[in-house]
Amino acid sequence: MSKIAMKTPLVEMDGDEMTRIVWKQIKDIVILPFVDLKTEYFDLGLPNRDATNDQVTIDSANRTKELGVAVKCATITPNAQRMDEYKLHQMWKSPNGTIRAMLDGTVFRSPILVKGINPFVTCWKKPITIARHAYGDVYRNSEIRVDGPATAELVVTYPDGRVDKKTIFDFKDAGIIQGMHNTDKSIEAFARSCFMYALDVKQSLWFATKDTISKTYDHRFKDIFNDVFEAEFKSKFEEAGIEYFYTLIDDAVARIMRSEGGIVWACKNYDGDVMSDMLASACGSLAMMTSVLVSPDGVYEYEAAHGTVTRHYYKYLKGEATSTNPMATLFAWTGALRKRAELDGLADLADFADRLEKASLDTIESGTITGDLKNLIDIPEKNVVNTEDFLKAIASRLA
Ligand code: NAP
Ligand code: MG
């Protein structure tokens, strides 16, 4: 059988622990037998990040900017315990954070829907994608505990000495205060990524803030989205038959609960944090959730939404076969291959990505599943298998 050809390589970012094992299994069992795979390999596993002073993460992000499409395995974000475990030189920053900052991107997450795993919200028939703004607001705030009567003020000092000042509150007694910010540049990049992604998947884009209450801060988000839409995307949306819809955040939540899905929902940083966990649990499991980072100039990095599944890895190290769900990582590969195919005009590669996804969904729907889905899926016959056998079942459907 001749293999499907590629033109431009994918940037391949390998990772840690159980997902690193699953990464190799996916390549060996369901990709390499069918595709003449071209990648530029970067080892983002923690030992190599430590050995290269994290330069490998920066190199991989720079190469992604040049080639346009990357696929990333889950990686450990070190904490004190990992410092010990891996004898690290430094508590390296989260690779996802580094890559996101370098690509200035927005993360889009959506559930992988299969028959038998029914969202708790019964009217959701199509996936809802959440786009979370990844910069600023309460995540970059300054807070002060006020310990007695005091006047709290908001002060902005410009380089020319000009000062803008407002009273926040005259405290008669103890209390709390918080200051936060965002930048026009970051909000614009967020808006552009969202409009591009919506066009890409041909789904309408919703955006919501609380601009009736926050007449300057949230209103700025609303205005920037509107300006970017009018200037760059309005006619493209019309051509694609999709719409941009702005509403208040509480109205958006109510409407989402009554919708049938098939929407990209842009959320401010905090709203996205809360709503993506709501969406993931309403749809079942993090192992059935895709995630892609899209930069405003159209660079894509595909990954799984879950972590390195440490608990399973420790079992694996003891020689036990684990039933780790490879779906999210598999969909990171199919997403990246499909995007590469689209950019390089390779119809058979795009078709392979579609068929691989379909074969994996069919495998689950026919009852061959990993352990995490056992209590989640409602089908008559369940055959719980380990990761390798699950992937082999997909491969035999594909073949
Ligand atoms: P996790 O790796 O997502 O795993 C948490 C639990 O969720 C697992 O123990 C497992 O439950 C279940 N789970 C997650 N993915 C699964 C899958 N594919 N198949 C089956 N079950 C799955 O989160 P964590 O344990 O909090 O974090 C572990 C490491 O991952 C940390 O070092 C963290 O820094 C890193 N992390 C990386 C990323 C990323 O690179 N994108 C994201 C988050 C966390 P059971 O044990 O009950 O089976
Ligand atoms: Mg959260």
Side-chain angles (χ1 to χ4, degrees):
M1 197 172 65
S2 76
K3 292 189 189 179
I4 295 163
M6 288 183 68
K7 209 183 278 172
T8 316
L10 290 172
V11 174
E12 175 182 354
M13 304 169 173
D14 206 347
D16 287 299
E17 300 194 314
M18 200 61 222
T19 39
R20 187 179 178 97
I21 308 297
V22 170
W23 190 259
K24 184 165 182 328
Q25 290 175 325
I26 290 174
K27 280 169 58 181
D28 288 346
I29 301 172
V30 296
I31 299 180
L32 289 170
F34 307 97
V35 178
D36 196 3
L37 185 67
K38 279 191 182 172
T39 72
E40 283 191 20
Y41 181 85
F42 293 84
D43 183 2
L44 268 59
L46 189 50
N48 193 47
R49 273 182 278 147
D50 194 51
T52 61
N53 289 329
D54 210 23
Q55 186 60 36
V56 65
T57 308
I58 294 163
D59 291 346
S60 72
N62 278 327
R63 197 61 183 134
T64 302
K65 283 190 195 170
E66 289 162 2
L67 291 181
V69 187
V71 55
K72 179 180 172 293
C73 181
T75 45
I76 293 169
T77 298
N79 53 17
Q81 181 247 319
R82 299 294 199 172
M83 293 284 291
D84 265 2
E85 186 183 354
Y86 284 83
K87 309 269 177 286
L88 302 177
H89 297 106
Q90 245 189 67
M91 204 187 286
W92 305 108
K93 281 191 278 185
S94 148
N96 288 9
T98 303
I99 295 165
R100 198 181 299 153
M102 286 180 66
L103 301 185
D104 192 11
T106 301
V107 176
F108 296 82
R109 291 200 161 170
S110 42
I112 301 167
L113 298 184
V114 292
K115 280 193 213 90
I117 303 180
N118 301 313
F120 293 118
V121 182
T122 49
C123 57
W124 289 355
K125 303 296 177 213
K126 299 180 217 159
I128 293 167
T129 301
I130 290 201
R132 174 183 171 187
H133 187 203
Y135 179 81
D137 299 354
V138 72
Y139 302 87
R140 286 280 190 110
N141 68 359
S142 301
E143 305 185 331
I144 297 176
R145 168 89 171 96
V146 179
D147 60 12
T151 300
E153 291 174 317
L154 209 52
V155 182
V156 177
T157 310
Y158 292 91
D160 65 3
R162 191 160 47 98
V163 171
D164 209 352
K165 193 147 85 171
K166 250 184 195 167
T167 299
I168 298 171
F169 193 63
D170 282 317
F171 286 93
K172 303 283 173 282
D173 216 327
I176 40 182
I177 180 165
Q178 174 187 87
M180 58 184 196
H181 78 280
N182 223 298
T183 67
D184 283 11
K185 184 162 172 274
S186 174
I187 301 167
E188 268 172 39
F190 172 47
R192 209 163 273 127
S193 303
C194 290
F195 288 124
M196 283 197 2
Y197 187 86
L199 271 178
D200 214 38
V201 295
K202 295 205 170 40
Q203 291 179 353
S204 289
L205 179 75
W206 291 15
F207 180 48
T209 72
K210 196 72 182 177
D211 67 284
T212 44
I213 302 296
S214 173
K215 292 185 196 315
T216 302
Y217 197 101
D218 276 17
H219 213 284
R220 189 75 197 126
F221 280 82
K222 179 184 178 181
D223 286 347
I224 288 176
F225 263 72
N226 194 56
D227 291 350
V228 171
F229 179 66
E230 292 288 331
E232 297 168 39
F233 291 97
K234 195 173 183 179
S235 57
K236 290 181 191 152
F237 267 51
E238 274 164 16
E239 271 166 41
I242 57 175
E243 63 165 0
Y244 168 56
F245 173 61
Y246 177 86
T247 186
L248 288 168
I249 184 69
D250 36 359
D251 181 48
V253 170
R255 282 172 190 261
I256 284 283
M257 288 303 174
R258 283 184 268 115
S259 81
E260 60 160 22
I263 299 157
V264 181
W265 184 13
C267 290
K268 285 180 62 198
N269 210 347
Y270 177 82
D271 297 340
D273 184 353
V274 177
M275 291 305 160
S276 56
D277 281 2
M278 186 270 289
L279 185 79
S281 13
C283 291
S285 147
L286 267 189
M288 296 292 284
M289 193 87 171
T290 64
S291 184
V292 55
L293 174 72
V294 182
S295 85
D297 41 315
V299 169
Y300 291 74
E301 182 242 3
Y302 293 83
E303 58 177 351
H306 58 76
T308 59
V309 211
T310 311
R311 241 172 47 99
H312 293 209
Y313 183 59
Y314 292 155
K315 278 194 197 165
Y316 166 87
L317 290 179
K318 282 193 241 154
E320 294 173 40
T322 70
S323 186
T324 313
N325 187 337
M327 287 294 281
T329 306
L330 179 75
F331 271 61
W333 275 100
T334 52
L337 288 171
R338 188 186 293 104
K339 177 53 72 181
R340 200 61 272 170
E342 192 187 304
L343 295 174
D344 291 346
L346 301 172
D348 48 351
L349 185 62
D351 180 56
F352 171 76
D354 292 346
R355 284 188 295 117
L356 177 49
E357 286 181 2
K358 177 150 193 321
S360 66
L361 297 172
D362 288 350
T363 300
I364 294 178
E365 286 171 4
S366 75
T368 300
I369 56 172
T370 47
D372 56 314
L373 301 185
K374 194 174 71 189
N375 297 323
L376 208 64
I377 193 162
D378 184 17
I379 42 173
E381 294 277 320
K382 297 178 199 177
N383 173 28
V384 176
V385 295
N386 63 41
T387 309
E388 189 176 336
D389 288 342
F390 178 71
L391 288 167
K392 283 181 177 162
I394 297 173
S396 67
R397 263 173 202 278
L398 252 183

